[in-house]
Amino acid sequence: MARVPAAVTTATSAVTTSISAVITALTRTRGPRHTPHLRRLRLRLGSRRSPRFRPVTEELVQQPNPYTRALGLMAVVLLGAWLGLLIVGNVRVPVGPMNTTMTLRPSVTGGTKINVSPLGALELNSHIAPVRLDVNVDQLDPVRAQALVDHPERLSGLQDEVAHDVEHGTLDLAVRSCVAVVAGATALGLAVYRRPRRALAAGGLALTLLTASGATAFATWNPDSVLEPRFSGLLSSAPSLVGNARNIVSEFNVYQEELARLVTNVTKLYDVTSTLPTYEPDPSTIRVLHVSDIHLNPASWKIIASLVKQYSINVIVDSGDTMDHGTSAENGFLDPIPDLGAPYIWVRGNHDSLVTQRYLERLKNVHVLDDGRAITIAGLRFAGIGDPQFTPDRSVAPGGDAAENLAGARLASALRDQRTAGTPVDIAIAHEPSAARGTDGEVPLVLAGHLHHEQMEVMKYGTRLRVEGSTGGSGLRAIEGKYPDPIEASILYVDRDTRRLQAWDEIKLGGLGLTTAEVSRHLPKENRP
């Protein structure tokens, strides 16, 4: 350690001695009352009579990881923006005769959801963005509704009025959302970082994210989403109120009349007790009810009968697996079929035996199709083939995909023969989708089941394959999983002149112990206006 120069030590001692002398003089002058304070000062100075130079050390302060700081800032921005939207990010807008509340909500898929409490909800795939537009219909304004009733001529301008109201509400919501997002992110940033600069950075980043989300929503906006709405709750009755989505475009006058009836009779919707949808019959459309995989669920017959009545179904198509084990003891389960109210076309599934098939052949109003047999019902020509495998029979080795492919080839051959004879088939039926795929290019539409979930696709050579879910909710298998399987069926709308599919409604009812109902309407691309 370096020594302190003697001159510095001497000077320091001299200064200390002088200060002590001053303190002593003050003590004598001021009296004993101030002595303790001066004594403490003397002691402090005396402790420094032998100063030593301490070595200077440098400490390195570890800077936080930039990625961690960025993630933290992003978390603060997202949480603050979400809280801001929850608190103030909504606007009350009168839309036509209704009072609504519009709100932006964070979402993974985007879209628009219209809640009409307590009737249900209407969902539209309007856009793809991390924000969803929620529109809550709070109440029907009696004054504005009565004005429409008293002056029906105002319905002609209702479309423009509603469009203006929605545009105004959306603009107001956008401004409020920007303020809410920036304020929420800035306030939370200030609370977390306690630095105005960081808080302003959080607010700016939140505004940037909201602007990007709005641009994404604008870029992916799909105005045709209104043609394929998804209804839930009591709003599943909506198709009966507005009719076919295609007709809304071509017959707007009829739509106006139906809208007037909806407005004037809206209170009647609250008295609806059935959650099943209804449909206004169209003379130019053939309605086909497609069911499959009932699996001995007795509730299916009541559901089918209700759909037949409410949709004015012309023909029912069952693509198999009506039974579970195919024994003669189960045959009594089939007795309600003749009373369902429409012709019943059936093909054998892998859970249906030849015993089941022979029993059905004896029932009134039932038409069993097998080996490519064709029949014309309700103006449409059907052909089908039974499943070549009966899997409950353990004494027979299953044929697997090879057997299904062979059945599909046999059905395709029968379809070609029908076309050659001048009686082309409009709809083919097979239980297994793998067998149904063998008809690609031979028929416009082929129906199947077996998978217990619905799907629709257009195959390579133009044939549309429609796979139905389980109309019996998978039967006893409904309780095997964590959640019960839904009950599914479809309404197919076929043009009477062209015999081509125009639209279809997917109907999904809550499974065992559930009381939900959903209806979604779909249009083939070639039929969208």
Side-chain angles (χ1 to χ4, degrees):
M1 180 180 297
R3 295 182 177 275
V4 180
V8 175
T9 304
T10 303
T12 304
S13 299
V15 172
T16 304
T17 302
S18 300
I19 294 175
S20 299
V22 172
I23 292 173
T24 302
L26 288 173
T27 302
R28 294 174 179 173
T29 305
R30 300 262 179 175
R33 187 167 56 91
H34 301 279
T35 302
H37 303 284
L38 299 173
R39 188 176 299 165
R40 282 196 296 270
L41 178 59
R42 184 186 296 122
L43 291 175
R44 291 175 186 172
L45 292 172
S47 64
R48 298 179 183 177
R49 290 179 179 177
S50 302
R52 294 291 187 268
F53 288 97
R54 298 179 181 178
V56 179
T57 58
E58 295 183 358
E59 296 181 1
L60 297 178
V61 179
Q62 184 177 3
Q63 297 294 329
N65 190 308
Y67 295 104
T68 304
R69 293 177 59 186
L71 290 176
L73 180 61
M74 183 61 67
V76 169
V77 168
L78 294 178
L79 181 58
W82 179 66
L83 291 175
L85 286 177
L86 286 181
I87 297 173
V88 295
N90 61 69
V91 58
R92 296 185 180 276
V93 182
V95 177
M98 296 172 292
N99 295 325
T100 67
T101 301
M102 295 185 178
T103 311
L104 284 182
R105 290 283 183 260
S107 173
V108 177
T109 58
T112 300
K113 184 175 183 180
I114 304 174
N115 299 303
V116 187
S117 178
L119 302 180
L122 170 65
E123 297 183 21
L124 304 174
N125 295 324
S126 57
H127 62 277
I128 301 175
V131 289
R132 183 186 73 194
L133 175 62
D134 283 359
V135 181
N136 294 320
V137 179
D138 300 327
Q139 62 181 359
L140 183 71
D141 187 273
V143 177
R144 298 198 299 271
Q146 188 63 39
L148 286 176
V149 176
D150 297 337
H151 304 281
E153 66 277 4
R154 292 182 56 185
L155 287 174
S156 59
L158 184 60
Q159 181 186 20
D160 295 335
E161 180 184 348
V162 169
H164 177 269
D165 292 341
V166 171
E167 181 180 357
H168 175 73
T170 305
L171 180 61
D172 192 5
L173 177 62
V175 175
R176 287 175 178 263
S177 298
C178 289
V179 174
V181 164
V182 173
T186 303
L188 187 61
L190 188 61
V192 172
Y193 297 111
R194 301 181 182 277
R195 296 180 182 178
R197 183 176 296 180
R198 282 286 187 88
L200 292 176
L205 182 57
L207 181 60
T208 302
L209 291 177
L210 183 62
T211 304
S213 300
T216 304
F218 180 79
T220 59
W221 180 255
N222 178 23
D224 294 336
S225 61
V226 71
L227 298 178
E228 296 187 3
R230 180 181 178 185
F231 302 98
S232 62
L234 294 180
L235 276 184
S236 56
S237 299
S240 67
L241 300 172
V242 298
N244 192 308
R246 295 176 64 248
N247 293 338
I248 293 177
V249 178
S250 59
E251 303 175 11
F252 190 73
N253 291 334
V254 177
Y255 172 64
Q256 288 181 339
E257 296 176 1
E258 298 297 334
L259 180 61
R261 188 176 68 174
L262 171 62
V263 172
T264 56
N265 299 323
V266 67
T267 55
K268 293 182 179 181
L269 290 175
Y270 289 84
D271 299 326
V272 175
T273 57
S274 173
T275 58
L276 294 179
T278 60
Y279 180 78
E280 189 76 21
D282 184 351
S284 65
T285 302
I286 302 173
R287 292 165 295 282
V288 179
L289 173 60
H290 183 198
V291 301
S292 188
D293 296 86
I294 293 176
H295 285 290
L296 288 178
N297 187 345
S300 300
W301 300 132
K302 295 182 179 180
I303 294 172
I304 292 173
S306 178
L307 290 173
V308 168
K309 180 179 180 180
Q310 297 184 50
Y311 272 87
S312 299
I313 295 298
N314 300 108
V315 58
I316 305 169
V317 174
D318 186 343
S319 50
D321 272 5
T322 312
M323 313 298 268
D324 219 19
H325 299 90
T327 63
S328 58
E330 298 173 334
N331 287 341
F333 171 74
L334 305 170
D335 291 342
I337 292 180
D339 300 323
L340 292 178
Y344 198 90
I345 298 177
W346 183 85
V347 297
R348 187 178 65 251
N350 61 295
H351 282 263
D352 304 317
S353 65
L354 290 175
V355 174
T356 303
Q357 180 165 315
R358 286 191 291 268
Y359 187 86
L360 277 168
E361 288 173 342
R362 296 193 296 267
L363 293 181
K364 182 182 178 180
N365 215 23
V366 177
H367 307 273
V368 176
L369 301 184
D370 198 4
D371 296 322
R373 178 186 171 220
I375 187 173
T376 300
I377 297 179
L380 295 175
R381 191 157 182 81
F382 299 86
I385 191 169
D387 198 296
Q389 306 179 85
F390 179 53
T391 53
D393 187 358
R394 304 300 180 184
S395 64
V396 178
D401 291 340
E404 300 296 340
N405 293 336
L406 180 59
R410 290 170 55 194
L411 180 57
S413 177
L415 296 175
R416 286 191 291 270
D417 293 341
Q418 290 285 335
R419 187 169 62 249
T420 302
T423 55
V425 173
D426 302 311
I427 300 177
I429 313 167
H431 178 67
E432 272 266 13
S434 55
R437 293 182 184 279
T439 66
D440 189 14
E442 306 296 341
V443 67
L445 176 64
V446 59
L447 306 179
H450 184 68
L451 301 181
H452 291 200
H453 64 82
E454 62 82 21
Q455 66 183 49
M456 177 83 84
E457 66 171 292
V458 178
M459 295 185 287
K460 181 178 180 181
Y461 297 108
T463 295
R464 185 180 293 273
L465 170 62
R466 171 66 188 175
V467 180
E468 190 53 75
S470 174
T471 311
S474 302
L476 293 177
R477 295 165 183 80
I479 60 176
E480 292 179 353
K482 184 177 181 181
Y483 300 102
D485 292 340
I487 296 174
E488 296 179 297
S490 296
I491 310 295
L492 311 177
Y493 305 106
V494 182
D495 187 88
R496 189 175 296 274
D497 297 327
T498 63
R499 295 181 176 85
R500 293 301 180 99
L501 183 67
Q502 299 299 303
W504 70 94
D505 285 349
E506 295 175 1
I507 300 172
K508 182 181 296 185
L509 306 178
L512 185 65
L514 302 179
T515 58
T516 59
E518 293 183 2
V519 179
S520 56
R521 176 156 296 175
H522 304 269
L523 303 177
K525 289 184 178 180
E526 60 271 19
N527 291 336
R528 296 182 182 179

